[in-house]
Amino acid sequence: MFREMRRKKQELSLEESIAVLMRGTSGVLAVQGDNGYPYAVPISYAYYDTHIYFHCAKAGHKLDAVKRDNKVSFCVIDKDEVIPEEYTSHFRSVIAFGTIRIIENEREKRDAIELARAKNKSPK
């Protein structure tokens, strides 16, 4: 379904990927924006039980795109260390692909907001 990672030795295990998602508080959500152009936006999130929850406004470009096409990708950068003398960088990130939905149920919304609030209060 999706391409395999080209540099296999750098691939994170599922457990390492989950740890990155648990540590992070922000990432970049990519959707199909207007006129077929990609739209990638920095966003806060909370990860819980294989789900990623985003908080956003009730209207705007992002929600319009989600309503039009629910396929998304989300990237969290955990490490970005530039090594100038080696002309390289040590980089660790997670890219997730999936479908997104707008939570309409008030209880489910409240639970997701509480997850994000708890995450942002806890020390990393």
Side-chain angles (χ1 to χ4, degrees):
M1 183 161 162
F2 295 103
R3 291 182 182 207
E4 290 189 23
M5 190 166 163
R6 188 173 57 86
R7 293 183 162 185
K8 286 286 197 190
K9 68 179 186 174
Q10 295 178 4
E11 187 172 11
L12 301 178
S13 69
L14 177 60
E15 293 77 18
E16 291 170 314
S17 296
I18 290 171
V20 168
L21 291 171
M22 294 295 290
R23 273 193 301 273
T25 58
S26 65
V28 178
L29 178 67
V31 298
Q32 183 167 318
D34 294 344
N35 300 314
Y37 282 93
Y39 178 64
V41 60
I43 192 168
S44 297
Y45 76 96
Y47 175 84
Y48 179 75
D49 192 31
T50 74
H51 291 83
I52 302 171
Y53 296 91
F54 305 104
H55 182 266
C56 65
K58 294 181 179 185
H61 190 171
K62 181 174 49 242
L63 282 184
D64 291 345
V66 166
K67 290 173 185 174
R68 188 172 45 248
D69 186 345
N70 69 345
K71 293 177 190 162
V72 298
S73 69
F74 181 64
C75 177
V76 175
I77 297 171
D78 190 48
K79 176 183 179 182
D80 181 9
E81 179 184 355
V82 177
I83 314 295
E85 58 276 2
E86 296 177 22
Y87 300 102
T88 191
S89 63
H90 295 169
F91 205 77
R92 182 174 47 239
S93 63
V94 169
I95 301 174
F97 296 90
T99 56
I100 191 169
R101 70 181 175 88
I102 299 167
I103 297 174
E104 302 292 349
N105 177 282
E106 291 301 320
R107 180 68 208 163
E108 195 176 358
K109 277 185 193 179
R110 175 59 47 202
D111 290 346
I113 289 169
E114 290 302 322
L115 277 173
R117 182 178 295 158
K119 182 174 187 172
N120 289 329
K121 285 185 181 180
S122 64
K124 291 185 181 180

